[in-house]
Amino acid sequence: MKQFMDNNFLLASDTAQKLYFDYAATTPVLDYHCHINPQEICEDRRFENITQLWLGADHYKWRYMRSCGIDERFITGDASDKEKFFKWAECLGKAIGNPLFHWSHLELQKYFGYHGVLNQKTAEEVWNLCNQKLADPSMSARSLILQSGVTLICTTDDPIDSLEWHKKIAADASFPVQVLPAWRPDKALNIEKPAFTVYMAALSAVSGISVRSFANLKQALSARMDYFASLGCCVCDHGLEYVMCIPATEDELETIFTKRLSGTEITRMEELKYKSAFMLFAGKEYAKRGWVMQLHYGCKRDNNTLRFHQSGSDTGYDCINNYTPSSEMANYLDALAKTNELPKTILYSLNPNDNQAIGTILGCFQDSSAVSKIQQGSAWWFNDHKTGMQDQMTSLASLGNLSGFVGMLTDSRSFLSYTRHDYFRRILCNLIGTWVENGEFPADYDTLAQIVKDICYNNAVRYFGFHLDVQD
């Protein structure tokens, strides 16, 4: 029997261990997509206790606690931080097979030096240990980033954001980690949302362009893209229901936009025509600037209406949307490619059943402008666990170019989530190690070392064009 989460955790062979310890473990971390608040980095936030750091905005943990029958008071309610932590410890102790069990204990080991098991019995011990550690200046937001070996972070930012915190971080020579904005224009895309007209007014004010038409909107967004680019932005991200490509004339689009701007409801087809045109415009703008386009899709959000009205978005009430037609994805990419305006693109589906479809779409649009110009993104959200990562990488290897994969990201709001890179790297090395042990790939460590380092770090540096040194 193997020891619980020892140094060889998830590394089932000598080859896997060599790949991990000699190459993956020593490679820096590049977090090209996360939801960390740049203000907290700028101000070097300190945390009063482990609940603030661990449970404050983690809907993964909230969902699991609800499944354990925990009252909402101890999740997002008014219970004390200590009470919330104890309830979480009670749940975690029984989270067999859940990635939260692994993530949480990797974080306890790396940042707090705790190699035991957190459960109802040890809650008091771990609460005291973590809070004692957090009282030390070495556990501030910036220190946690540096401890994690991070070289660059891309946050997630709205087009109307001033980016003031990015400016301040960039001007601070004492912090060596690059923190760059990433463009996330969902509020301008989601024409059906009640707040759309209010958002248009805010965009008008920030851009200096009165947004009274779809043409005005494109001008305003283009101006804001230029502003983001001036501060180092080279990455965008979209949260989509699915990737659609429904044609519409310019007159139709202006009618739809004017109708919605007046406060009138639009039809579902009008919504889809607008979103298709918006994404075609956006893709062409990204290609013009050399930006990477990330498309996250396949999520049905805010399903529990009662709880949504009580707690709001991003509180753990989302699920996989099974309607993600690959034909429209291919049509969308083709519409950009036929005019040579297809940017480097990363496709993430929340539905793991889409792995093979994505793998076949990738091969239709690759060219010599970049290694793996069209990428399948890492196993996302409900899939970033051992099985999900293995399946995504196995599918990518089977249908495309795993060696060109840009690897893992945190997609998190937590400063402790960098252990997800370690989790990913162990799974990656074990997967490749298994192929080598089975005689499916030669034990050529010069080649294997380069593949592992590239997936863990170098591919992302090259693909996004970040000003960083690659790892030899």
Side-chain angles (χ1 to χ4, degrees):
M1 180 187 298
K2 290 191 66 174
Q3 184 180 346
F4 168 67
M5 290 186 67
D6 62 4
N7 284 340
N8 293 328
F9 174 56
L10 298 178
L11 304 171
S13 67
D14 290 342
T15 303
Q17 291 165 22
K18 179 175 177 60
L19 293 176
Y20 173 75
F21 289 109
D22 289 1
Y23 312 123
T26 58
T27 303
V29 169
L30 197 165
D31 196 18
Y32 56 84
H33 175 66
C34 74
H35 297 276
I36 284 176
N37 186 342
Q39 181 177 354
E40 294 183 349
I41 301 175
C42 182
E43 296 178 342
D44 200 17
R45 182 182 173 184
R46 299 280 300 279
F47 299 88
E48 295 177 11
N49 58 58
I50 185 61
T51 299
Q52 287 185 5
L53 185 57
W54 235 12
L55 293 165
D58 194 336
H59 51 80
Y60 286 81
K61 293 186 177 76
W62 296 349
R63 283 173 68 97
Y64 185 72
M65 292 174 76
R66 290 174 189 134
S67 72
C68 292
I70 303 299
D71 189 277
E72 195 67 23
R73 176 172 174 265
F74 299 99
I75 303 172
T76 60
D78 61 0
S80 69
D81 285 349
K82 185 172 184 178
E83 288 175 312
K84 290 179 178 178
F85 177 80
F86 272 59
K87 287 294 183 182
W88 167 242
E90 177 185 335
C91 294
L92 185 65
K94 297 176 285 188
I96 188 168
N98 193 303
L100 287 166
F101 193 82
H102 293 156
W103 295 347
S104 298
H105 285 94
L106 284 171
E107 291 170 8
L108 288 172
Q109 289 179 3
K110 180 173 180 63
Y111 299 106
F112 299 97
Y114 183 76
H115 291 267
V117 179
L118 174 58
N119 54 34
Q120 192 172 20
K121 296 177 183 177
T122 60
E124 184 76 39
E125 173 192 2
V126 177
W127 169 261
N128 291 331
L129 170 67
C130 290
N131 293 342
Q132 182 179 4
K133 290 269 188 179
L134 288 172
D136 191 282
S138 66
M139 295 295 282
S140 67
R142 291 189 179 192
S143 296
L144 290 170
I145 291 170
L146 293 172
Q147 285 180 52
S148 305
V150 179
T151 60
L152 186 146
I153 295 168
C154 289
T155 57
T156 302
D157 308 281
D158 190 277
I160 67 172
D161 197 301
S162 69
L163 305 183
E164 61 176 306
W165 303 109
H166 295 85
K167 293 178 183 178
K168 291 179 180 179
I169 295 169
D172 185 353
S174 69
F175 187 57
V177 179
Q178 296 182 54
V179 181
L180 304 179
W183 174 267
R184 178 78 175 237
D186 291 1
K187 292 179 181 178
L189 173 72
N190 292 331
I191 191 171
E192 81 284 7
K193 298 292 186 182
F196 181 78
T197 55
V198 175
Y199 184 79
M200 289 298 105
L203 179 61
S204 297
V206 170
S207 67
I209 297 169
S210 179
V211 180
R212 305 303 304 168
S213 66
F214 186 50
N216 294 154
L217 173 62
K218 291 188 285 187
Q219 292 171 337
L221 291 174
S222 181
R224 294 303 293 170
M225 287 183 206
D226 290 341
Y227 175 66
F228 269 59
S230 73
L231 293 172
C233 178
C234 61
V235 185
C236 74
D237 178 45
H238 292 266
L240 305 168
E241 181 184 356
Y242 72 99
V243 181
M244 68 286 294
C245 191
I246 300 173
T249 66
E250 288 297 324
D251 287 343
E252 281 184 284
L253 294 168
E254 291 297 355
T255 298
I256 293 167
F257 191 86
T258 302
K259 180 179 176 182
R260 184 68 190 90
L261 206 60
S262 70
T264 304
E265 295 297 317
I266 59 174
T267 67
R268 173 65 168 166
M269 182 53 67
E270 288 174 328
E271 173 195 336
L272 297 181
K273 285 182 176 181
Y274 167 81
K275 289 182 175 179
S276 297
F278 184 104
M279 291 303 301
L280 286 170
F281 156 75
K284 293 176 180 181
E285 289 293 314
Y286 304 149
K288 184 192 304 182
R289 292 170 171 78
W291 287 10
V292 172
M293 176 169 66
Q294 298 180 95
L295 304 179
H296 285 86
Y297 62 95
C299 179
K300 186 175 184 300
R301 299 179 184 272
D302 305 325
N303 295 289
N304 189 326
T305 305
L306 175 64
R307 295 301 186 189
F308 167 69
H309 288 307
Q310 291 175 344
S311 304
S313 296
D314 301 320
T315 52
Y317 298 104
D318 307 321
C319 72
I320 292 172
N321 181 356
N322 198 43
Y323 182 61
T324 52
S326 59
S327 59
E328 290 202 33
M329 167 68 78
N331 289 344
Y332 171 67
L333 298 179
D334 184 54
L336 295 170
K338 68 176 60 173
T339 56
N340 198 30
E341 295 175 288
L342 176 61
K344 287 184 282 188
T345 301
I346 307 178
L347 307 176
Y348 307 79
S349 176
L350 197 56
N351 190 341
N353 293 326
D354 292 341
N355 283 343
Q356 285 73 31
I358 290 174
T360 61
I361 291 171
L362 303 181
C364 299
F365 299 99
Q366 307 292 21
D367 60 42
S368 60
S369 64
V371 174
S372 297
K373 175 180 178 178
I374 312 301
Q375 293 260 345
Q376 181 182 16
S378 60
W380 172 44
W381 196 347
F382 295 129
N383 305 309
D384 57 359
H385 44 71
K386 179 182 175 183
T387 302
M389 291 182 192
Q390 287 175 338
D391 288 350
Q392 182 267 335
M393 287 189 282
T394 301
S395 177
L396 178 57
S398 299
L399 297 169
N401 178 17
L402 178 63
S403 69
F405 178 34
V406 293
M408 191 57 177
L409 54 136
T410 64
D411 191 27
S412 172
R413 294 167 175 81
S414 170
F415 289 97
L416 299 185
S417 290
Y418 298 110
T419 53
R420 293 187 191 178
H421 285 263
D422 182 59
Y423 192 56
F424 167 84
R425 292 174 182 191
R426 289 173 180 271
I427 293 166
L428 168 69
C429 291
N430 193 63
L431 180 64
I432 294 176
T434 299
W435 290 333
V436 173
E437 294 276 341
N438 288 343
E440 299 175 56
F441 195 88
D444 171 4
Y445 282 98
D446 289 339
T447 299
L448 290 168
Q450 199 60 60
I451 289 173
V452 169
K453 289 181 179 180
D454 284 350
I455 294 172
C456 291
Y457 187 77
N458 294 336
N459 287 340
V461 173
R462 299 186 184 108
Y463 185 79
F464 292 96
F466 295 134
H467 299 297
L468 298 166
D469 294 328
V470 297
Q471 302 294 298
D472 296 325

